[in-house]
């Protein structure tokens, strides 16, 4: 009895010592000690020897248990106890390991990625933005199949995003609040509260995050489609082989008669839900980017006027008397990602130029200017419309020069967190949609083959899902025209959707909303998630 | 048996769940579950009910233990087990709590103390420097007695300084190293290694830190002196009452016949050891500060020449034909901390001015300059000598304008860590020396009273310890003169001492080195540790 008491007090002292010293060696000793002493008191002398669990720890035989103590069925209990101790120990090690990892992450962030310590690194805002981008790239980069993420990747993702976002908990603002005085009167006082943009958007983004992971999880036990190794022969792949240049993606195989109706329905419903996530993430990302300041550095690099920025031919097309944005776009060469991005950059630049000129004009005389205030305002509006259409039609297009510049020079830590989180969720949603598209496409190929008629009817809409999966091709002009009208109405819908989100996080609600067809673009070929820094 | 197996697997699953979710609620459940189930299997049905430990957790009676299992002397084992589980649980909670705390600390550092998140905060270097300063102020601020720090304060200190210094582990540089090729030849490759200044100084500072804490610990069981509450009446305090203005410090009481020889010897030896620590900390601090760049901002604020910076009268004294630094200082008004600091600032400023002019002169003609290059060099050397003397004579004087400016604009994270750590250790060493001085003074008063002759012999050196404890008074001129010669030789000694330190950490070695008398200054009245930011 006294012996046990003293063992306990020793054990507790050791806990104290461990707490004080944070020394993982001591922790090993703490558990070893408990293993060596306390269980012995509960043990029959005959039973147990070097079985699993504590065996490899090399039990210390010095601890003298009281042999007069006899447990009823000790080997089982011992095993249970051993396992419990092992679990405690493992958990403790895990926590200490996490702590070390976290310290290192934060240390690197504090150094702004400048490991010389000289303080020549990037701002905290950019360091966090890059950290989130890189984390997503390494966690989601491999999502080439429609299947749950491994528990390990999922746990890493949650853990590290939680560390990075802990910074947002400290970003506060003063808001007025009521305090009740002793005499019952109310007094207005100022209290701190998380900054409004973070308070609103972070829970929304976390929900989108959870929805995307849940979507992947929903394919856990599906047995209808499977993937061939990317090294499979063309024969094996058969007609399911990819027609695009994404050779690194595994080929999807569906049953000979196509997917079951239930499976197809489920894919469609997941597609709709992920499309909503994509739209919300895009909308948050666009909003944050629009709120970021335009860096001086970007302004200095601009040409002197809109005409120089757009180039003679585009400038003429946008300044015609009767302007139709779709007609304008149809005249543009949008055959490659590079062309689209270039147009986006030119238009964004001229919007900035015109806006600045309009503001400057307010104070100056219009004398000497070739373009009147009103005309400039008109051109600026037209450019905004075109930009809006481009952005929604090519959601996966890389960031524009203005966006990259904003991300790079942004000093606001809160905006950096929102921008990067929404950007990587956008990218993940996009990847998942592509993977869903892969399966639906494989299904449509099989079914069209079975019907043996489909090939002559490329415009048939009976599959409802095959068309948008034309691998790797950008949209054609006719797509553009039918699309744009629908697209322009998205924003209000997105706002409604966001409000719903904040009230009720049930993802089923999302599925009733209209879905928009989302085209594949080149973001994948850039490795899924592009850091603005990497491209510079 | 099977039941236990399933309990274990449930338990282990829960550990997994806990690991994934980092949720402290779940952890509570994990331990509660283990408490409720596994121990029951080891329990006699009769024994145990709602005793200490698990009692308040509200044990779940749903877990069905096997009643046929009978333990030999279960109540003891149960108690041991309960205690063990409680210890594990407490430790787990502590770790999670630490983790949360650490996240918050780092988040605030990343925000550079700008809680709006707008990135308008200070650099990482200054944020870390301020964090270390503030941590020391709150941990050591209360060290008004010569007694061990409480375990809680000590543990907080170690934990948090460890967090802050984890940043230093990531500061690396490339150094050449040898790699053995397969064919046995050597190849030079570059590897990363902690930056040399950190690699050298951090272990030294950590040792100084440990020595100071060990010094305080050494007074744990002493019974010879004790402290009266600061509210004690003057009568109680008797002749031990403080003669200075530090009313907030408790009064020391020693035995009527003074301290025992052993106690006095121990105090003297601790004093010598802490003095060495102080000197080393000062030397590291001075070195780091001297390596920091002079901020543009400081240079811009300088007067146009040395004469304007020093003022006419000081300028004349320093530019006389035959210059004696001690004579120079004796002519200065050093009656208050303010005067000393002012002189230090003026001299530092003129050193910077002269050095810059000498560099500029190299490229230009001397035409138009009132002072020749050689003369300027001579004056600059004189000013350096004076500055050196002042710095060593008044170790506790607040930082000069130049030092504050350097700390504030320094962007180098490594230097910030070294500067702040050495500064606060300097300050702690100084405080401990003052506390030792308090006791030695109280002892000398008692013994002088007993001898009844001492008062007429103020210059007697028989006590060997009373003199330097003249409370709160700055040194007199004669002190200065006898001191300076000794002081000028300190630096080499300090360097020797530092080398020894890095080889062997035995503090006893230190005690053989000569000690210097350290005067009390006003650093305490500023709250022990002053942050450069606070003063601005």
């Amino acid at each position: 009895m006294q012996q046990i008491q003293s063992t306990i007090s020793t054990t507790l002292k050791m806990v104290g010592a461990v707490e004080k010293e944070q020394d993982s060696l001591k922790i090993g000793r703490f558990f070893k000690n408990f293993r060596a002493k306390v269980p012995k008191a509960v043990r029959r002398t005959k039973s147990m020897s070097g079985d699993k669990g504590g065996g490899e720890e090399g039990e210390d035989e010095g601890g003298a248990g009281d042999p007069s103590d006899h447990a009823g069925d000790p080997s089982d209990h011992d095993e249970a106890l051993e396992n419990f101790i092992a679990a405690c120990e493992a958990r403790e090690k895990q926590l200490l390991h996490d702590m070390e990892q976290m310290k290192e992450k934060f240390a690197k962030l504090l150094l702004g990625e400048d490991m010389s310590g000289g303080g020549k690194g990037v701002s905290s805002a950019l360091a966090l933005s890059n950290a989130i981008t890189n984390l997503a790239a390494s966690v989601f980069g491999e999502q080439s199949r429609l299947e749950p993420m491994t528990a390990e990747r999922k746990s890493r993702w949650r853990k590290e995003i939680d560390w990075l976002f802990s910074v947002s908990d400290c970003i506060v603002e003063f808001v007025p609040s009521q305090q009740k005085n002793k005499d019952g009167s109310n007094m207005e006082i100022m209290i701190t509260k998380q900054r409004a943009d973070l308070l609103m958007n972070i829970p929304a983004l976390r929900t989108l995050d959870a929805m995307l992971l849940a979507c992947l999880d929903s394919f856990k036990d599906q047995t209808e489609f499977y993937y061939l190794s990317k090294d499979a022969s063309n024969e094996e792949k058969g007609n399911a082989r990819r027609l695009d240049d994404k050779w690194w993606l595994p080929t999807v195989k569906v049953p000979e008669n196509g997917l079951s109706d239930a499976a197809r329905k489920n894919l469609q419903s997941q597609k709709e839900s992920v499309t909503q996530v994509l739209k919300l993430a895009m909308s948050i990302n666009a909003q944050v980017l629009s709120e970021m300041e335009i860096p001086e550095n970007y302004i200095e690099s601009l040409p002197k006027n809109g005409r120089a920025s757009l180039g003679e031919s585009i400038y003429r097309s946008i300044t015609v008397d009767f302007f139709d944005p779709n007609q304008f776009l149809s005249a543009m060469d949008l055959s490659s990602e590079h062309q689209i991005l270039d147009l986006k950059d030119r238009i964004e630049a001229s919007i900035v130029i015109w806006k600045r000129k309009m503001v400057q004009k307010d104070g100056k005389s219009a004398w000497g200017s070739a373009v009147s205030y009103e005309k400039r305002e008109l051109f600026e509006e037209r450019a905004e419309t075109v930009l809006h259409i481009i952005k929604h039609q090519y959601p996966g297009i890389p960031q524009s020069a203005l966006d990259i510049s904003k991300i790079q020079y942004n000093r606001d830590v809160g905006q950096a967190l929102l921008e990067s989180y929404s950007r990587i969720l956008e990218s993940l949603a996009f990847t998942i949609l592509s993977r869903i598209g892969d399966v639906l496409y494989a299904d449509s190929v099989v079914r069209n083959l079975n019907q043996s008629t489909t090939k002559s009817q490329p415009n048939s809409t009976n599959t409802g899902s095959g068309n948008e999966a034309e691998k790797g091709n950008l949209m054609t002009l006719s797509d553009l025209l039918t699309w744009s009208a629908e697209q322009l109405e998205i924003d209000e819908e997105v706002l409604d959707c966001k409000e719903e989100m904040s009230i009720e996080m049930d993802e089923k609600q999302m599925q009733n909303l209209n879905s928009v067809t989302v085209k594949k673009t080149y973001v994948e070929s850039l490795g899924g998630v592009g850091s603005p820094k990497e491209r510079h």
Side-chain angles (χ1 to χ4, degrees), chain A:
Chain A
M1 177 84 178
Q2 239 181 341
Q3 211 165 21
I4 289 178
Q5 291 299 343
S6 94
T7 305
I8 291 163
S9 86
T10 314
T11 307
L12 290 176
K13 258 186 218 149
M14 293 183 75
V15 176
V18 167
E19 273 171 16
K20 272 175 218 144
E21 313 231 347
Q22 300 272 352
D23 186 344
S24 58
L25 288 173
K26 300 239 163 154
I27 290 150
R29 226 201 291 157
F30 161 62
F31 286 108
K32 188 175 156 193
N33 229 290
F34 186 80
R35 268 211 194 97
K37 289 179 181 169
V38 178
K40 251 175 217 144
V42 205
R43 248 174 235 167
R44 257 189 207 154
T45 348
K46 61 158 184 115
S47 69
M48 280 217 63
S49 63
D51 56 356
K52 67 174 166 174
E56 77 284 1
E57 291 279 326
E59 288 199 19
D60 179 5
E61 295 297 324
D66 189 345
S68 69
D69 273 358
H70 287 291
D73 189 1
S75 67
D76 287 355
H77 313 143
D78 281 359
E79 207 176 311
L81 202 55
E82 284 292 333
N83 279 308
F84 175 73
I85 295 172
C88 282
E89 194 171 12
R91 174 134 182 77
E92 172 117 12
K93 274 186 188 155
Q94 178 65 38
L95 277 174
L96 285 170
H97 172 78
D98 282 358
M99 217 151 164
E100 284 309 308
Q101 237 191 332
M102 183 162 93
K103 267 197 284 191
E104 199 186 317
K105 288 246 172 234
F106 276 114
K108 286 180 180 168
L109 289 173
L110 270 173
L111 293 175
E113 302 163 7
D114 171 12
M115 305 304 265
S116 81
K120 305 269 184 294
V122 302
S123 67
S124 294
L126 185 53
L128 279 165
S129 172
N130 288 343
I132 291 172
T133 309
N134 295 335
L135 172 62
S138 69
V139 171
F140 301 133
E142 318 155 28
Q143 201 65 48
S144 57
R145 290 156 192 248
L146 212 51
E147 64 188 13
M149 288 167 68
T150 60
E152 191 198 349
R153 272 162 67 207
K154 210 188 283 181
S155 125
R156 181 178 164 209
W157 169 247
R158 288 198 182 148
K159 193 168 66 186
E160 298 195 12
I161 206 82
D162 177 50
W163 294 346
L164 296 168
F165 268 81
S166 65
V167 178
S168 73
D169 298 334
C170 294
I171 301 177
V172 290
E173 60 191 358
F174 279 102
V175 290
S177 169
Q178 296 293 321
Q179 193 186 42
K180 203 145 199 137
N181 288 334
K182 277 176 188 169
D183 62 5
S185 66
N186 276 327
M187 199 173 67
E188 185 160 275
I189 55 161
M190 299 301 278
I191 56 165
T192 58
K193 204 175 160 187
Q194 194 179 30
R195 215 172 69 184
D197 57 339
L198 301 172
L199 200 60
M200 192 178 72
N201 285 312
I202 291 177
L205 289 171
R206 284 200 181 274
T207 309
L208 298 183
D209 183 345
M211 282 172 72
L212 292 177
L213 267 52
C215 168
L216 289 173
D217 282 342
S218 76
F219 294 104
K220 190 181 170 196
D221 297 321
Q222 73 81 23
T223 50
E224 299 221 1
F225 61 87
Y226 63 96
Y227 292 87
L228 293 177
S229 138
K230 66 182 175 201
D231 303 320
S233 67
N234 275 347
E235 206 175 328
E236 272 180 278
K237 288 178 182 173
N239 45 37
R241 77 173 187 278
R242 304 188 71 87
L243 299 174
D244 60 11
D245 53 0
K246 303 207 179 81
W247 53 265
W248 63 90
L249 289 174
T251 305
V252 187
K253 276 292 213 184
V254 293
E256 273 184 29
N257 298 320
L259 298 169
S260 69
D261 278 353
R264 202 177 308 117
K265 248 189 189 145
N266 178 46
L267 276 169
Q268 285 293 352
S269 113
Q270 289 293 353
K271 189 176 116 183
E272 282 162 24
S273 146
V274 175
T275 304
Q276 295 308 321
V277 172
L278 177 67
K279 287 199 292 181
L280 277 167
M282 277 176 66
S283 131
I284 293 176
N285 189 260
Q287 194 197 326
V288 176
L289 277 170
S290 77
E291 281 167 9
M292 281 185 189
E293 270 178 52
I294 300 173
E296 274 308 311
N297 176 292
Y298 175 83
I299 291 171
E300 280 163 20
S301 72
L302 290 175
K304 64 179 191 309
N305 56 38
R307 186 191 293 255
S309 159
L310 289 172
E312 195 57 35
S313 113
I314 304 178
Y315 181 76
R316 248 182 293 138
S317 311
I318 215 165
T319 54
V320 289
D321 283 348
F322 300 100
F323 178 76
D324 174 353
N326 294 316
Q327 208 172 351
F328 170 85
L329 279 170
S330 73
M332 296 294 131
D333 176 9
L334 299 174
S335 57
S336 76
E337 184 205 54
H338 176 76
Q339 305 286 352
I340 300 168
L341 189 58
D342 182 62
L343 181 64
K344 205 171 150 190
D345 281 344
R346 285 168 186 274
I347 292 178
E348 270 187 348
S350 49
I351 291 175
V352 173
I353 294 168
W354 285 329
K355 275 192 173 160
R356 283 174 55 82
K357 290 209 172 179
M358 287 191 294
V359 174
Q360 287 166 358
K361 195 92 326 167
D362 278 349
K364 290 185 198 171
S365 98
W367 186 85
S369 170
V371 187
S372 73
Y373 183 95
E374 289 70 28
K375 277 213 164 162
R376 207 165 259 149
E377 197 172 19
L378 179 70
F379 299 162
E380 196 264 326
E381 268 170 30
R382 289 177 179 178
E384 295 256 23
T385 310
V386 172
L387 190 63
H388 195 90
I389 298 175
I390 296 177
K391 276 186 180 168
H392 278 89
Q393 276 175 354
Y394 305 100
I397 218 81
Q399 291 146 325
S400 67
L402 176 58
D403 289 348
I404 293 173
S405 177
K406 279 179 167 181
I407 293 170
Q408 204 146 24
Y409 292 96
N410 165 49
R411 308 266 305 174
D412 189 294
V413 175
Q415 288 182 330
L417 289 169
L418 293 179
E419 190 282 326
S420 52
Y421 198 18
S422 58
R423 171 160 42 82
I424 55 126
L425 290 179
E426 193 179 315
S427 180
L428 177 61
F430 192 80
T431 305
I432 296 176
L433 280 178
S434 306
R435 295 296 85 78
I436 294 177
D438 289 348
V439 179
L440 289 175
Y441 173 74
D443 177 50
S444 76
V445 168
V446 168
R447 293 200 299 148
N448 286 354
L449 269 184
N450 290 348
Q451 289 175 14
S452 297
T453 54
T454 331
K455 286 208 167 171
S456 57
Q457 295 171 8
N459 292 323
S460 74
T461 51
N462 62 341
T463 64
S465 61
N467 284 341
E468 87 279 14
E470 290 158 0
K471 306 278 160 166
N473 296 322
L474 288 162
M475 18 168 51
T476 60
L477 175 58
S478 66
D479 284 334
L480 268 181
L481 292 175
T482 50
W483 243 56
S484 46
E486 191 186 352
Q487 285 294 335
L488 290 170
E489 285 158 27
I490 286 178
D491 277 10
E492 293 78 52
E493 199 179 85
V494 163
L495 285 174
D496 290 350
C497 181
K498 211 159 134 193
E499 264 171 34
E500 265 177 56
M501 286 271 307
S502 58
I503 300 162
E504 174 67 76
M505 294 187 168
D506 185 354
E507 66 181 89
K508 294 294 164 202
Q509 287 192 350
M510 298 289 168
Q511 301 178 359
N512 299 324
L513 292 163
N514 294 330
S515 74
V516 282
T517 317
V518 172
K519 305 282 158 179
K520 285 163 179 285
T521 61
Y522 292 85
V523 84
E524 284 177 341
S525 63
L526 293 169
V529 195
S531 152
K533 225 193 153 188
E534 282 163 16
R535 292 193 211 126
H536 272 243

